Every structure is written in structure tokens, then in C-alpha cells.
Amino acid sequence: MSVLETKDLTYTYGIGTPFEITAVDRVSVSVEAGEFLGVIGHTGSGKSTLIQMLNGLIRPTSGQVLLNGEDIWAKPKEIRRVRFKVGMVFQYPEYQLFEETVLKDIMFGPKNMGLTDAQAEEKAREAARFTELREDLLAKSPFELSGGEKRRAAIAGVIAMDPDVLILDEPAAGLDPKGRDMILAQISNYHRERNNTVILVSHSMEDIGRTADRVLVMNGGHAEFLGETRAVFSEGRELSEVGLRLPQITAILRRLSEMGMPVGETVLSVDEAFFQLLPLLKRNGGRGERA
Amino acid sequence: MISDITLGQFFPGDSVMHRLDPRVKLCMTVYYIVLIFCAHNWVVLALTVLMALSGVLLSKVPAKQYLKSLKPIWFLVAFTGILNLFYGSGEPVWSFWVLKITRAGIVNAVMISVRLVVLILISSVLTFTTSPTQLTDAIERVLKPLALLHVPVHEFAMMMTIALRFVPTLLEETDKIMSAQKARGADMESGGLGQRIRALIPVLIPLFVSAFRRAFDLATAMESRCYHGGAGRTRMKILKMGRVDFFAVGICLTYLAVFIVLCVAVPAAV
Ligand SMILES: Nc1ncnc2c1ncn2[C@@H]1O[C@H](COP(=O)(O)OP(=O)(O)O)[C@@H](O)[C@H]1O
Ligand SMILES: [Mg+2]
């Protein structure tokens, strides 16, 4: 069953000015309940604009967004209810922190939903567990945290609202490799444990390959492909035409496969490649084989 | 959206007005504004309108933009116009109860309205064709004599440049922070005054934090490039008067001569 569906969704910035630009152009896709969808595309391809329409932060120029089959703009007065169901983590979310303590900041969303302090605190602590924020950090001022910790606090602030669909816009942007691995692993864990729908936006094929079940490729405002991650990644040439490059590990194993080595044609992560290559090395007793 | 507000509304282009030296443009603007308020008969008024319109045409900025810049002051024009209409002296042309309209009133109303519109048009030509950086450069140059009186002209100009530079950035940032808090269910559209002011806290705090961070970053960046105020500082773009500029100054002086002659020769309208 699809939880979110878009119909000919279009958004144009600056209508009637010389700077008019259609950032999202007639996109019709459907997001299945419980899936992990990756949205990938070149910078400026309309990813951020698309997802901001999914929780009603911006109103489409034309077309519809259906949440559980209902048009989210049917009752504009109740758009806040949509935002509770579809949680959104913006790019560089650490700039939204404002409360005295990290815990209070994470509680901001749940309290806006009308929960009592006790309920909100419970949700906040639960969310902090997902993003591995230590207990002593929760009592600190958000402005005293490190960059990665701030980021995780901000993500927890959205997870705490317990949305049916969690959307994250470039959550790993600007982090060091360790922080990046950590955040992606936490998001995967969250998806696995809660069985919620997750939409991860990124311009990095590595990040998407490691996490997503299905991938939507955006290009110049259009939905270019939508399919199983492996199927989309096997279209190396088409992807490079829209300005995306396959992850290094995928490209290397593809070369090996083309040279006749018995490895899968499309691998999505280093871990996967490791398990494909290990038996080959064992077979050759570590002597290697001339290709 | 907040970022739809334009400030300093510069329209990049390559018209004669764009190419004029910003100092010349700045002085010309002030000069015309003074003269427009000295125009006391129909002939000079018409001449000044003509000059303003040629400036508008020469700027090659779409007429729509000028109309847009007039929009916020229509009310002011109408208000002063109507007020003047009823404040003329002399024989009433029309009267009702305590209200009376005289010929002088009508003339005054038209004059003041035309002057206000021309004032806006002329200053729009300046802001549409001059980038904020050029404009502050020009202001710094023109006000330089004040430095003799120990007015920190350079520092003021630098502050203006920086402020202008960061207006769009801060607006964009406000927009982003508001979206992020709305996504967390912040309600900014409903409730009474107190509730609305409270709803601004989650936006203002992050905004101040980031404005201060930007200010410190900028200060560090300026210091690490040895910025130490205006003394001994040279410019990358040295403003130089060219042929067009001298031509423009020539037109201004000719205009002044004609203006004075017409003011003397033609009787005042009121
Ligand atoms: N607030 C805005 N005003 C005007 N144009 C915008 C705005 N936000 C994005 N755009 C434009 O819309 C296009 C798509 O941008 P965006 O959705 O941010 O892409 P992505 O997230 O894939 O990088 C870009 O060309 C961008 O310049
Ligand atoms: Mg983006």
C-alpha cells in the first residue's frame, strides 16, 4: 500500500519574475508503506523542493500530494496534522536548535503535538537513544555540543514526533566520514526497528546504495527513474548522463565482472563486495589470478 | 515567502545609466530632487518630468519594475494630493459644508503629486542601475570631505556595504529556520498577539546565534587579511570619470541654466 503519492506534482519559483524556474516538473511517484526510499540527483535537480511539498511546507503550483489516499491540501487549516505524520529533517538541521537544553529542544516537536511534559520527555529520551546521544549531553545547552552531536540532536527532535514517514534531506552533508557512517547506520537502525517509511535525500550514490530499498532519480525537476536500488544502479551509463557517478566499489566490481570474474554485476556497498571477493581469494589460496 | 522582498533592487544591465559613474549618478539624483522641489511653474515642471522620463527610458529597466516601486507610495501621493486640494487660498471653485476647493488648491495638489512620483522615479533609476557596492563606494567618495571633521566616513561605508550584503542572506536564513520549526509543528499563523510573539522565539534565537557566528567569522576573515580600516587602503575598482560622465554633467549644467531662465521668464503657477 502506498503511504505517500504524488500526482503531476509541479512547483515553480518566482512566477512572473525574470527568475522564474520550474524546480519540480510533473512528478508522479508513490512511496510504499515501510520502505526505505532514496532520492538522488544532481545539485539543483529539485530534490529539496520535492520533499518540502510532501509535508506541506510549500504548496504545489499544480498537482497533488496524497497522504494515505487523501489530498493533504484538502483542508489547508489542518496542514499541521500532515507535518506531524510526515516528519522532515532539513539540510543542516543543527541551525534549528534553540532551547536551553538538548532534551527540551527534542521535546519541542512532541509538545507542539499536544503531548504532556511527561509524555514528551519519554518520546524525547526514546529518540535520543536512536541517535545515540549520551544521557549527560541531554542536560547541556545545544550550543555546547560538537557539530555531529548537534546534528544528531536535531534529527532526534524530528524522530521524537514519531512520524509515519521520516524524510531526511542530506543528513550526512558536511560531516567527517565517521560521523557520516554513524548517522547513516542510525537511520537504518531506526527504519529496521520502527518499520516506518524513510525517505533519504542525498547526492551521494554511496550513501543511497548502502541504505535504500528503492531509489528515485531526479534530473532537472523530472523523476528520471524509480526502481529497486540494484536495478537503478545497474544503469551506469544512464546515471552518468544525469550527472551521477556510480560508487567506486560498484564501478570496480562491475569492471571485474566484465573481465569475467565470478562476481555480481552490481554491488551496492563495500561490505557486499567484501563477501563477494572473499571466496575468490580463498579459492586462489591468496596467489591471485592474472586477469 | 520572505525572500520575495527585494531590497536595494539592483537590475544588472548594460545601459548608459548602468555605465555612468556612480558618484555622478548619486550627485545627479540629489541635484534633481532639489530642483524638482524648486519647480514652480508648469513649463519647468514639464521639463523636469521630461528629464526624469528620459532617465527611466535610458536605464532600459522594464517599466513594470518602476510601477512596482511606485506601488507602496500611491497612498501617500493620493493622501498629500487630497490634503492639498482642500488647503488652497482664494475663490472657491466648489464648496460643500466646510470643504472648499480653490484653483490654487487644484494646482498645488497636481504639483505635489507629480513631484512625489518624479522623486520616486529618479531614485529608482539610481537604485535599479547601481549595485549596492557601487552605491556605497560612491557615498564614501562623496562624503569624504567630512573625514576632515573626524567623521568616520570609511567605517560607515563599510558597515553599509556589509549590512546590504547580508540582508538577503539573513532573509533566506529566516525562511529556512521558519520552515524547520514549522516542520516540527510550530504554529506561527494562529493565536493571539502574545502567542504569536512567543512563537517567534524558536526562530529568533537560532537567527541571532547564526548572525553572531557570521559576524565573528567575517571579522576573523577580515582581520586575517590585514584589514585595519580606511587609512592607506587602495581600491580594486578605481572610479574614473569617462566621456559619458562629463557629458552627463554637461547636461545637468545646461538643464540648470534653462531651469533658471524659465523660472524667471514664466510666472509661477499659483
Ligand atoms: N527559495 C528558492 N527560490 C528560488 N529558486 C529556488 C529556491 N529554492 C530552490 N530554487 C531553485 O530550484 C531548483 C531546485 O532546487 P532544489 O530543490 O534545492 O534542488 P536540490 O535539493 O536537488 O539541490 C534550483 O535551480 C534552485 O536554484
Ligand atoms: Mg537540496
Side-chain angles (χ1 to χ4, degrees), chain A residues 4-12 22-29 46-47 49-56 58-66 71-73 216 218 221-223:
Chain A
L4 266 177
E5 199 179 342
T6 70
K7 287 198 172 148
D8 281 327
L9 201 59
T10 302
Y11 193 86
T12 307
T22 299
V24 172
D25 197 0
R26 283 162 291 151
V27 169
S28 301
V29 292
K47 306 181 296 290
T49 309
L50 174 70
I51 54 166
Q52 284 179 61
M53 284 189 280
L54 297 184
N55 78 339
I58 53 180
R59 195 169 179 161
T61 311
S62 67
Q64 283 181 313
V65 178
L66 306 180
D71 186 348
I72 62 169
W73 286 102
L216 167 67
M218 293 290 295
H222 296 279

Side-chain angles (χ1 to χ4, degrees), chain A residues 205 212-215 217 225-239 246 250 254 265-268:
Chain A
M205 300 269 294
D213 306 326
R214 287 204 307 158
V215 181
V217 181
F225 317 105
L226 173 62
E228 300 282 322
T229 308
R230 208 175 296 278
V232 171
F233 275 44
S234 65
E235 309 281 342
R237 179 146 335 123
E238 282 85 348
L239 288 175
L246 283 178
T250 313
R254 164 144 326 150
E265 212 171 280
T266 308
V267 301
L268 300 177

Side-chain angles (χ1 to χ4, degrees), chain A residues 11 13-14 16-19 52 55 57-58 79-80 83-84 86-88 90-91 95-99 105-110 112-113 143 154 157-158 161, chain B residues 1 4 6 10-12 62 64-65 68 173 176-190 199 201-207 209-210 213-214:
Chain A
Y11 193 86
Y13 285 107
T17 68
F19 313 106
Q52 284 179 61
N55 78 339
L57 278 171
I58 53 180
I79 197 69
R80 242 157 51 100
R83 295 184 189 146
F84 296 141
V86 183
M88 165 85 81
F90 276 85
Q91 197 168 356
Y95 295 130
Q96 75 191 30
L97 302 171
F98 73 97
E99 276 283 12
D105 202 280
I106 303 177
M107 283 163 62
F108 179 66
N112 282 330
M113 296 170 71
F143 302 108
V158 177
M161 292 162 65
Chain B
M1 221 183 284
D4 287 342
T6 48
F10 171 54
F11 278 78
K64 216 172 78 188
Q65 292 306 327
K68 230 169 147 185
E173 195 136 310
K176 262 194 207 146
I177 296 172
M178 272 171 90
S179 295
Q181 306 300 27
K182 273 194 214 159
R184 291 207 280 168
D187 185 2
M188 307 196 184
E189 276 111 30
S190 55
I201 295 175
V203 177
L204 289 183
I205 292 181
L207 194 64
V209 169
S210 102
R213 189 178 42 81
R214 272 179 208 286

Side-chain angles (χ1 to χ4, degrees), chain B residues 88-144:
Chain B
S89 50
E91 270 304 292
V93 186
W94 177 88
S95 63
F96 170 75
W97 189 40
V98 293
L99 302 174
K100 63 178 174 28
I101 295 180
T102 65
R103 212 187 76 82
I106 298 175
V107 171
N108 270 339
V110 174
M111 280 249 178
I112 205 83
S113 311
V114 171
R115 281 184 193 145
L116 281 177
V117 170
V118 170
L119 174 81
I120 298 297
L121 284 183
I122 289 178
S123 21
S124 300
V125 173
L126 178 70
T127 53
F128 284 168
T129 63
T130 318
S131 72
T133 342
Q134 279 186 320
L135 199 58
T136 40
D137 257 14
I139 292 174
E140 181 176 356
R141 282 295 304 145
V142 170
L143 295 184
K144 201 149 189 195

